[in-house]
């Protein structure tokens, strides 16, 4: 009988962990301000464009199941939003970049201003409406 209780306890723990991870999927988190582009890893710094108010840097890996869906969401948002640019960086062979940015999963999207300041980040596939709303204050012609 003890084995049954242990099994039920393990199932309950896994279910709770699954629910927590699911709730965090795609959630926009405001980031602690990063100083400037000089603090960014070189491959990320090279993706910045001084003329673009917001660059969405999608960090992906070769074996990422959700990266394609995130790419679709981010590309669509960038296409229809003035002042937003989407770029993707495969960090499969760049583990130091992921470590330096504190990225623990793929995809992760980091929104950067032209100076390299981190505006926000999203773990998993972004929720388009929530991401658009969070970016609005950082865009031109915003009432934000």
């Amino acid at each position: 009988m003890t084995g049954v209780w242990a099994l039920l306890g393990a199932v309950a723990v896994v279910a709770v962990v699954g629910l927590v991870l699911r709730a965090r999927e795609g959630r926009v988190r405001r980031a602690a301000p990063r100083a400037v582009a000089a603090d960014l890893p070189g491959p990320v710094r090279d993706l910045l464009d001084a003329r673009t108010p917001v660059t969405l840097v999608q960090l992906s890996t070769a074996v990422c199941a959700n990266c394609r869906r995130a790419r679709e969401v981010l590309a669509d948002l960038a296409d229809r939003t003035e002042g937003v640019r989407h770029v993707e960086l495969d960090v499969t062979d760049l583990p130091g970049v992921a470590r330096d940015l504190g990225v623990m999963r793929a995809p992760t999207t980091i929104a950067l201003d032209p100076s390299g300041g981190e505006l926000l980040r999203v773990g998993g596939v972004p929720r388009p409406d929530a991401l658009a709303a969070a970016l609005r204050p950082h865009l031109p012609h915003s009432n934000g």
Side-chain angles (χ1 to χ4, degrees):
M1 191 66 170
T2 303
V4 172
W5 287 112
L7 178 61
L8 289 174
V11 168
V13 168
V14 168
V16 168
V17 168
L19 290 172
V20 168
L21 290 176
R22 186 178 204 184
R24 293 182 64 181
E25 176 75 18
R27 188 183 69 177
V28 175
R29 292 181 302 146
R30 306 247 180 250
R34 179 179 285 279
V36 289
D39 294 336
L40 292 171
V44 176
R45 187 175 49 246
D46 294 343
L47 298 172
L48 294 175
D49 179 356
R51 299 166 305 205
T52 305
V54 177
T55 299
L56 298 174
V57 178
Q58 177 186 340
L59 301 166
S60 302
T61 62
V63 294
C64 171
N66 289 323
C67 291
R68 187 163 94 210
R69 178 69 184 125
R71 183 181 314 118
E72 293 168 358
V73 168
L74 295 169
D76 178 61
L77 180 66
D79 286 345
R80 61 185 171 82
T81 308
E82 180 184 350
V84 175
R85 179 172 161 256
H86 168 244
V87 293
E88 186 173 4
L89 180 62
D90 185 337
V91 293
T92 302
D93 297 323
L94 302 169
V97 170
R99 182 189 62 245
D100 291 348
L101 293 172
V103 172
M104 303 298 288
R105 66 186 291 193
T108 292
T109 303
I110 301 175
L112 299 170
D113 68 18
S115 71
E118 184 173 332
L119 305 171
L120 55 90
R121 67 173 55 202
V122 179
V125 178
R127 297 176 185 148
D129 294 340
L131 181 56
L135 291 174
R136 201 166 289 124
H138 305 286
L139 299 174
H141 311 297
S142 169
N143 294 329

